[in-house]
Each structure stands twice: as C-alpha cells, then as structure tokens.
Amino acid sequence: MSQVGLSGLGLYVPAHRVPVREIGQAWGAGGRGEKAVCGPDEDVVTMGVAAAEAALAAANRRPEEVDMLYFCTTSSPYVEQTCAALVAEVLGLRPEVVVQDLGGSTRCGTGGLIACVQGLQAGGGKVGLVVVADNRPAAPGSALERTLGAGAAALVVEAERPAAVIEGWACYGRFFPDRWRATGEAFVRGDYDPRFVRRHGYTEHLARAVETLAERVGDGAGDFRRYFFPLADERLPGETAGRLGIPRERVATDTFPRFGDLGSASALLQLAFAGGEPGDRVVLAGYGSGLADALALRFVHSLPVRPTPEGVDEGARRLSYAEYLRVQGLLATEGDYPLAVPPGSQTFWRGRGEILRLEAARCDRCGYVNFPPSTRTICIRCRHTGLSRVRLARTGRIHSFCINYYMPPGFESPLPYIVVDLDGGGRYQGMGTEFAGVRPEVGMPVELVLRRISRERGQSTYGYKVRPRLTAREG
Amino acid sequence: MAWNQVAIVGAGLIPFGELFDMSYEAMIQQAYLRAIQSVDKGMDPEEIEAGWLGTCMGSMMGLEIPGGATVAGTIGLVDVPFTRIENGCPTGGDTFRNACLGVASGVYRVALVIGAEKMRDKPAGESLLGIAGQGHPVFTRGMLAPSMFAPQAIRHMHEFGTTKEQMALVAVKNHYNGSLDPYAHFKKPVTVEEVLKSPPVVYPLNLLDCCPQTDGAAALIICRADLARRYTDRPVYVAGFGVGCDYLYYTEKGSLTEFAATRRAAAQAYRMAGIGPEDIDVAEVHDCFTITEILNYEDLGFCPKGEGGRFIESGRPHLSQLGGTLPVNPSGGLLAKGHPLGATGIAQLAELYWHLREDPDVANRQARLNKGYALQHNVGGYGIAVSVVTILTNRL
C-alpha cells in the first residue's frame, strides 16, 4: 500500500462537564469520573467544524486543498439532510469536492477514515478530511446516562507528508445489535445483557479485527506499542486486551473517566491525547453494532495536534444535574424564539458567506472592510463599487457589551451581547457564549466560534458567537 | 435668521398610560379634539387642508400598515389628504417636519399633525422582545431594545468614568417632573437608591433606567406663519429642524459614546434657526433610557463631550424653580411621561409650545425664558440610526 497517512489531527471537547456522581445522586446511586456534554448551542456540526478547522491548521493545509470530506456521526440533527455539505460550506471547500455523510453505528469514524484512504489510493485526490463527532442522547435514569459523552476529532489524510503512515487496516463484522437508536426515538438504547454484549459483541469482533490486521502487516497482535480502542465503558479495554493477550497498560483509557464514551470519535480522541514517538506502531480501532475496524499506524514524526490537549480543560464548567437536563433539551419549553426570517429562506442563502464564513467585502479603492457583504455592494465610506471578498479575523477584544436579563426559551439567560474590535481592524457584533461565571469587560480577549443559534421547524441555524478566548489551548 | 415660515397655533394630548379601554382610533380622536379646541381664537375643522399621521409600529396591534386614511375618516376629515410618516422613535418629530414642509410649500395653509401609538395591546415583555426579532436574523439575534443603548453606557463609563449613580439622577429628575405633569404615565418621584435597586433589565440598565411601554396620542395644528394671527396672538414659530442619520450596526458606527445621528440633526437645526445651544431656554429630549439623556446633553451641545454625567450632577437641567438654567424634560420625559413612539415627538412639541407661550398648562413647571428658543429632540429607530431636532421660538 502507498504511504497514505495522517498529517494533522484536530480535537474538540465541549466545556460543559457533568460529574457522574452528580447524575447518580439524582437516582440514588453513586458514580465516578465525568462526562463532557454539548452546551445548549452546540451539536455535532459545531463540534465537527471546530475539530476540522483545528485539523487543517495542524496539518498546515488550506480548505481549498481538500479533495474529499467524510463527516461521520451517529447523532446528526437530521435523519434526512446532509451535515457534510454544511461543514464543507463553513470551511469553504470547493463545491466539486466529494463529500459524504457516514453513520450507521459508532464504527463510522474509522469507517470514514478507511473510505478516505481508499479514495486517495484510488486517485480521488491528494488531501482528505475526515471529521468525526458524536453527541449521543441518553435517557434520564439509564446506565447510559452516566457514560455517553460528546466530542469531535478530525484528521487530515494525505500521502505527501504524513506524520503517521497507515500501514494497513482490517475489518471484521457480523451484525450484532448492542446499542441502537431508532428513527424518531429520543435516546440510545442497549446493553440488554452487558456481559454478553461485551464478550460476544465488542470484544469478539474487535479482537478479530486486530488479529486480522496483525496478519496483514506481518506482526503478532501483541506487537504494537499502543492500542486506541473505542471506550464504550471502563471494563472493555481490559477484556479485549486479555482476549488478545496484550498487556493491559498498552490500551489507552484516560479519556473515558474525563469525558465519557465519545462514540465514533472515541479512539481518535485517545490518539490525540496519547500521541506517539517516531517509530511507534499503534492500532487505531472502531466498533459499533458488530462492525469492527482496526488500522495500523507507524509514526514518522510526532503527529501535529490542535488545540493542545493539555488546554482542553481551560474554561471547563461543571454542571448540576438540573443544568445538564436543561442543556440537553430534556426540559420541555415553549420552543425556540422564532428567527427574524424563516430558516432556509433567501436571506440565509444570500448571506451564507457572511453567516457561515464571516466573509466581508473590502473596498479596492479605500480599503474599508464592508460587512455584511450581501447587503453592502457599494463601499459605505467612499461609494466605490469595486469590492473583494475577504474573511474577518476570528479573534479580538471586547469594545463594549451589555447583558440581557429577560430572554425567552432558546436563548441563554442572562445573555451577554458583545461588540468586538477584531484583530487587524473592523468589528463584529453578536451573542456571547460560555460567559457563565465570567463578567465581560472592555478589552477582554475573545474569539468567534460557530454555534447553533436556533432550531425552528426542525431546521438548525448556525452563526458565530463570541466566547472568552482560551489561550492555554493555543500552546 | 430663523426659518419661521410655519407656526403652531394649537396643541392637545391625552394623558399617557396603559389605556386598555381606548382604541387607537379613540386616542387619536381625543387628541385631535383637544388640539382643535385649544386654538385661542377658535378654528373650524373645515379649515384643515392636510393631515400627517405619525405611527411607528401600528402593526404591533394587528392593524397592518396603518395609513393616513386609517384616521382621516374617524375624525371627520375624510376629504383631506392624509399621509402616514414612519421613522423609528423619531416618527413624531419627523411627521411634524414633513407637515411643516407641506405648509411652507404653500400648497396647504393649515395642517393637522397627529402622533399616536398603541403599545399596550401587546404584553410589555413582548414589545421589548419584538425589537429582538428585527434586524439581521443572525448578527442582531439576542438584542433587545435596551441592547441598542446599553453598550453605549458601558463605553461612556469606560472612557469618561460616568457612573450608574449619575445615570440614576436623570431618572430622579424626570420622575419628579412627571409628578407635576397630569399627562405623565408615572407621577411618582423616585430616589437614586430605588433606581439602583430596581431589577436589572440589560446591564448596566435597571428597570428605572428604562422608559415604560405606554399608549398615547398628541396633536398639533400648524399654519403658514403669516396666517398665525388669525388663530392666536401668541403663535410659536418653527425656527429650524434637522434629521440626522447614522449606520445601523455596531460594526459600522464610529464612537459608541455619542449618537452621531443626533449631532447631525442638531447641526442642521441650529444652522437653520441661526442660533447655538447657548440660546436654548428649555428642551424636551429623548430619554428612552437614562444614559440616552446623558449622551443627549453632549450631542446637543449643552455640555462638552464626556461631561454629561457632571452636567446632571450640576443641577443645570433641573426645572427653573429648582435652580436649573436649562430645564431638560420638564414634562417628565420618556422615562416618566412614557414613550408611545409616534406620539412622543408631537407631545414634546406640545409641551414646548406651552412653555414658550407661558400657558397655564405648564404653570407648575414653567421654564424661565431668556432668548425665547426651545429644542425638541428624538433619537432612535432600529439601530439608533436616525434623529430629529426641532427648534421652536416665540419670536419672529
């Protein structure tokens, strides 16, 4: 096989964390560790975008260079509507790029990676982007409520300068219903008999995939330095290691007690946190519904990862159980306050450049940056009609703000509203996010992040909000 | 040389408040009757040759797109050309200006100007949020009406050290003045402490930093200046006016410590009237929020930039009887009298008309007149991008 491999990895873990004991106490139980959960304005699209942008930065690749995109999730906001095309739109990929929405089970992360490698090897392009995100809902009071978490990872895949070469892969799959969520159902179900499912579902299929992989790349199953298995619960790695005859400590497990079961993104986030030294050979695996993938990676040099995993807890906030139920949307409200114009209407289509990519129109004559460009076709300063598209900076400082105290459902309340002086000039104005416990101040460093701003008639609408800048993540 | 081509010869308004039992049309009818009955030497309604109606958000109460004809027939003037003007919070002031232009053109000799707004057919909270539904569906989502002023307060506090206590003094002044005005929505004085302890609405503005949601209507009768003596021996002339615009979005505005629209409107009005801010005896300015009045002092030239907080502390804008040298909002302002959008500007002009004539209507709060000039001001509209300034005088 040619030397296709990973050249950059982006990760995203939400700032909202729930101590498992906090959940357990509501139901008369205990619990260990924490899980990460989406904030009220986050979903797999916003997380995936953040991870994808970070991956491209890590790999030093521009969106225009991407030839294929795989968006992989089991918790899309839609049964029918693409998320891949929306992510492509936000990133600014070329319209002729092949984009695919993958799902079906939590195996789809590694499944998307394999498909991407196959696509590149078949001559479909030079650079691929695999974006994996999950935000799986659990029923209150269920065992899964204590484990299902949210997070995203993205990989830039290419043959030109991989940091970790993919030496081979193997799949092993037979249909095995262990966890599922039917169309129209609100929560993931499963684990009818946990011991049976662990042994004959997860462990059996994953182990066979690893054994097959080992044969293919000419090794014993136990010969790898590290194993990145999906962490669906804390017992699984041990059982699988035993079945394969590998030392338990080689199976990376630390993301589970911190963030919970991250579904299709689980093993990729483990890879992000553990990394590898030049020469290391590791196994990256995925599993869901009886389908298992195992890929062998060999590190040429250390894999660029953004943001730095050490900074992932910066700005993290622990939620009470009641707050958790609210942000999960499990407390019935009257519904989001309507948008000024209906979602999907002409205003959103005409304005997609500014709404999704913060595009502006710079005057060719006086240099003034007009925003938003769909409503500014003449320079507002000098009236010149020659304007060129540019993108606003994503970082800046607070110029002024206010805090709204009476907001209806669908808004955070109190809601900070921020006017930002952008780095390099110009301003942005928009809703604040993740300011709980933080008092905005004139001059405070902030950044613009894509978040869901509304869900109306089933259609999610996204836009940029203003968040306190997390500098520890920048390394 | 002031413009003085149009005179006001009649003024009337209804008490402002939560007027659940009065329809939009009934409010207008009562204001019109009071105005026509107020003309000193009497006026036959048949003499009215044109009408201008100012209503900003008529469709808030289910009346879709009210036009001039919405009221013409209901006041027995269906034969008269009637136009509705809308220009945000300055609707009343701009309606008056357009009516003046109609009369000054020579086409109409006498005109009726009505401002009216029915805000309380919707819950107060919904009006506040109704603004949030306007503007850009993404970039201005989450803004309430006070969100268009609160960042200016934050910036003024940051650049000039203006304090919430100084802002509260504006509310104290205006609620005291409102207690003297029978037309005011609120007639109870408040203290600085009550303002500071009132619930936060949009930080740094508390409830008593904000004007209420109010129903009201006001009307004026104007005529060509040379015909004024037919109706009164004490006409009030329109010395000048101006309309200023600004960019709607914070991303395009310049300094957030001023309302550029007010500066532009004031410059036009002073130039047209041939006077400066030092010639103004009394003013009715747009105090939708306490911080707005502080910026108005600066933008209208009553004090230097940045000195607005010290200006209210000095006592200068208090009533003459309390030692003020430039009474601002003797009526109680928007804070206490209320802000029925289309009616506000007209009602401000009515108040100034009474002061310039030393009418008994304002005996308990009469401004001392030196130069004989009064200034009316509104600022607002979506994005606080438009302002109207009108200067009246009691001398030719």
Side-chain angles (χ1 to χ4, degrees), chain B residues 158-360:
Chain B
H158 176 77
E159 289 188 35
F160 302 115
T162 304
T163 64
K164 282 175 61 95
E165 286 78 7
Q166 287 168 333
M167 286 158 55
L169 287 174
V170 174
V172 170
K173 168 177 75 71
N174 290 349
H175 278 270
Y176 174 75
N177 294 354
S179 73
L180 303 178
D181 182 352
Y183 298 100
H185 186 161
F186 293 136
K187 300 185 190 57
K188 193 169 88 71
V190 302
T191 64
V192 168
E193 194 181 352
E194 283 173 324
V195 178
L196 296 176
K197 291 215 156 95
S198 59
V201 175
V202 176
Y203 178 84
L205 303 172
N206 293 4
L207 188 62
L208 288 174
D209 285 297
C210 307
C211 65
Q213 311 288 299
T214 308
D215 297 327
L220 300 166
I221 315 262
I222 61 174
C223 68
R224 232 172 52 210
D226 61 306
L227 303 173
R229 298 272 160 192
R230 206 187 285 185
Y231 302 108
T232 174
D233 291 326
R234 293 174 299 130
V236 167
Y237 299 99
V238 180
F241 44 67
V243 170
C245 293
D246 192 14
Y247 300 104
L248 269 64
Y249 296 112
Y250 283 119
T251 51
E252 292 172 333
K253 289 180 193 288
S255 165
L256 296 194
T257 58
E258 65 181 33
F259 292 113
T262 296
R263 290 181 169 264
R264 292 184 178 111
Q268 294 167 30
Y270 286 131
R271 184 166 53 242
M272 196 166 157
I275 62 164
E278 63 281 359
D279 299 310
I280 301 297
D281 291 329
V282 56
E284 285 275 309
V285 310
H286 203 82
D287 58 322
C288 46
F289 302 97
T290 49
I291 185 60
T292 320
E293 182 163 320
I294 288 183
L295 263 57
N296 295 340
Y297 301 147
E298 300 174 12
D299 293 337
L300 294 168
F302 297 162
C303 72
K305 178 80 183 264
E307 298 285 304
R310 277 174 278 284
F311 188 76
I312 178 68
E313 279 177 331
S314 73
R316 288 192 54 205
H318 283 229
L319 298 175
S320 298
Q321 68 227 42
L322 298 176
T325 54
L326 171 47
V328 174
N329 287 336
S331 67
L334 280 59
L335 284 168
K337 183 157 175 184
H339 182 28
L341 306 180
T344 294
I346 308 297
Q348 290 172 318
L349 290 162
E351 174 82 10
L352 297 174
Y353 172 78
W354 291 326
H355 281 269
L356 286 172
R357 285 158 41 102
E358 292 177 303
D359 273 338

Side-chain angles (χ1 to χ4, degrees), chain A residues 337-341 348 354-355 371 376 380-381 399-408 411 415 417 419 427-431 439 442 453, chain B residues 129-130 133-144 147 150-152 154-155 158 199-203 247 249-254 256:
Chain A
Y337 193 81
L339 289 166
V341 294
F348 286 99
E354 58 241 26
I355 293 170
F371 182 81
R376 303 284 185 269
I380 68 168
R381 288 283 188 263
H399 181 80
S400 191
F401 68 94
C402 61
I403 304 176
N404 300 344
Y405 278 84
Y406 293 99
M407 298 307 290
F411 294 100
L415 173 71
Y417 188 84
V419 180
R427 282 193 195 146
Y428 185 75
Q429 61 180 93
M431 293 187 277
R439 164 56 62 88
V442 173
I453 63 154
Chain B
L129 286 175
Q134 295 175 7
H136 195 280
V138 174
F139 305 125
T140 60
R141 183 163 175 83
M143 289 186 84
L144 307 177
S147 311
Q152 280 81 345
I154 290 289
R155 202 64 208 178
H158 176 77
V201 175
V202 176
Y203 178 84
Y247 300 104
Y249 296 112
Y250 283 119
T251 51
E252 292 172 333
K253 289 180 193 288
L256 296 194

